[in-house]
Amino acid sequence: MIHIIQQFTNQFGGTELHALDLYSILQRRTPVRLWTEFDPSQHLIENFEISLIRPKRLAYPKTGTFVFCGACWYVGPWLELSFPRRIIVLHNYEHDTYQDWFKRARSPWLPKVEWIFASEQLRRTSGLEGHIEPSPIDISRFTPAPARKPPVRPFTVGRLSRDVPEKFHKDDCALYLRLAEAGMKVRIMGGLGLRHQLPNHSMIELLPEGAERPEDFLHTLDCFTYRTREDWFEAYGRVVLEAMACGVPVVCGAKGGYSEKIDHEVNGFIFENNDQAFALMHQLSVDSILYAAISASARKTAISLYGEGLPHNLVDFYL
């Protein structure tokens, strides 16, 4: 039995989606159970069988392989009451709570913690040993938009994320406004928090989290852009890889685990400031040959990461 333990508090959270995609892959080969110590999202409770950890009722994982998707919360003392065969921890967030695992890892009655990392950058900064696990993405779901006649819409730049301040850079609003003033459409899903920072503009559309299915939303874009607050390290950034899987050229800030998957000017672009970002987006909007090459290369990268080999590798590791 494999037990996947996560907070499951946000249906749009990247770590929650990582856990659920991992569950989908592993359950084809072995019994898997989802657990949380928190009050999970109503949407997730309605769509997945998530068990609540309640030690007083003896409801918690007891044996088998424990997979903690995330190390950013303190795990309750129920862990010391259990007898896991393996403990695997996904480290995907720079947070003090993962230090708690150092203490737990030295407990003589628990197996040695096995670490997996969302990116090489995070592994280096942690100083721990372990292997890299890309957040699983279903490339049969995230595919290029169906072929259609040349769109009558303006060139459209956008992004999606959770609607929290740390997911946006302080210079993002200035970039969005500049794009809009240049005649490009800007769509931000998970951007209602920007309403007081951006003027009303006919070319800027701010949507709540989950307003559209992510693959449908990505099909409305010609370019995907992403960067986060300077003090927030995006360990993986699966939304960037989802865009690449859809063949949408990405123009992203340099800081983030996703940058390890972007080969600048081959399958996407990396920028350092607004001037560079604007120039790259403008170039994509006027150079159809460049656009087609970047789009095809982005999709090819996603296939190489998430094709048939990834599920087999995950199953081999967890079993």
Side-chain angles (χ1 to χ4, degrees):
M1 173 70 78
I2 293 178
H3 303 275
I4 297 178
I5 302 110
Q6 220 284 321
Q7 293 171 297
F8 293 120
T9 53
N10 189 319
Q11 71 187 81
F12 307 113
T15 311
E16 280 89 343
L17 295 173
H18 185 147
L20 294 172
D21 284 338
L22 183 62
Y23 169 78
S24 176
I25 291 170
L26 295 178
Q27 70 166 344
R28 303 168 195 164
R29 289 285 303 277
T30 192
V32 186
R33 193 168 178 181
L34 301 172
W35 294 87
T36 183
E37 296 184 64
F38 299 83
D39 293 325
S41 151
Q42 187 62 34
H43 171 83
L44 295 181
I45 279 287
E46 291 172 356
N47 288 276
F48 297 91
E49 188 174 343
I50 301 175
S51 301
L52 303 180
I53 294 175
R54 298 295 183 262
K56 291 182 179 180
R57 302 178 187 175
L58 299 182
Y60 56 88
K62 297 178 178 69
T63 61
T65 296
F66 294 7
V67 181
F68 292 88
C69 266
C72 61
W73 76 92
Y74 288 102
V75 176
W78 62 267
L79 182 59
E80 276 69 27
L81 302 175
S82 63
F83 299 91
R85 185 176 71 90
R86 296 171 71 190
I87 294 179
I88 301 170
V89 179
L90 169 65
H91 183 16
N92 69 336
Y93 177 45
E94 291 181 322
H95 196 284
D96 291 341
T97 48
Y98 86 85
Q99 298 285 345
D100 185 53
W101 282 106
F102 291 119
K103 301 174 184 177
R104 308 296 273 275
R106 291 194 292 268
S107 300
W109 55 86
L110 291 175
K112 181 181 178 181
V113 171
E114 301 173 53
W115 294 94
I116 53 178
F117 299 89
S119 63
E120 176 59 35
Q121 293 181 60
L122 198 57
R123 179 166 65 176
R124 285 199 306 268
T125 58
S126 73
L128 299 170
E129 296 295 327
H131 78 275
I132 311 299
E133 179 179 296
S135 182
I137 292 172
D138 183 355
I139 56 172
S140 67
R141 174 187 173 192
F142 291 93
T143 60
R148 55 179 181 260
K149 295 180 180 179
V152 295
R153 70 185 187 209
F155 189 85
T156 304
V157 177
R159 55 162 282 166
L160 70 152
S161 71
R162 289 188 293 119
D163 197 349
V164 290
E166 59 267 23
K167 291 293 184 177
F168 293 90
H169 191 275
K170 64 180 178 61
D171 296 332
D172 279 348
C173 287
L175 176 61
Y176 303 153
L177 187 58
R178 184 175 177 183
L179 292 169
E181 293 293 338
M184 299 186 202
K185 178 76 174 178
V186 177
R187 303 193 79 218
I188 310 297
M189 189 162 74
L192 294 186
L194 303 178
R195 285 176 296 185
H196 302 299
Q197 302 177 50
L198 282 167
N200 289 329
H201 197 293
S202 61
M203 298 298 281
I204 298 177
E205 184 179 6
L206 303 179
L207 302 167
E209 291 182 4
E212 301 175 11
R213 294 196 308 169
E215 61 270 37
D216 294 338
F217 175 81
L218 290 168
H219 288 167
T220 70
L221 305 183
D222 299 302
C223 175
F224 184 89
T225 186
Y226 195 80
R227 63 178 165 179
T228 59
R229 201 169 64 191
E230 292 175 327
D231 63 350
W232 175 272
F233 178 73
E234 189 70 49
Y236 190 70
R238 61 179 277 145
V239 290
V240 176
L241 279 301
E242 288 170 353
M244 294 174 70
C246 289
V248 179
V250 299
V251 179
C252 297
K255 184 182 178 183
Y258 56 79
S259 65
E260 298 171 11
K261 312 301 182 187
I262 299 176
D263 187 358
H264 184 63
E265 296 183 334
V266 175
N267 64 359
F269 300 93
I270 296 293
F271 68 87
E272 296 287 349
N273 55 56
N274 280 5
D275 287 342
Q276 292 177 1
F278 181 84
L280 290 167
M281 294 172 191
H282 178 265
Q283 186 178 11
L284 283 169
S285 72
V286 298
D287 190 336
S288 59
I289 295 176
L290 173 67
Y291 188 97
I294 297 295
S295 173
S297 185
R299 174 65 182 174
K300 184 177 179 180
T301 297
I303 292 173
S304 70
L305 285 170
Y306 304 113
E308 294 182 1
L310 179 63
H312 291 301
N313 292 339
L314 291 175
V315 168
D316 288 345
F317 174 75
Y318 286 98
L319 294 187

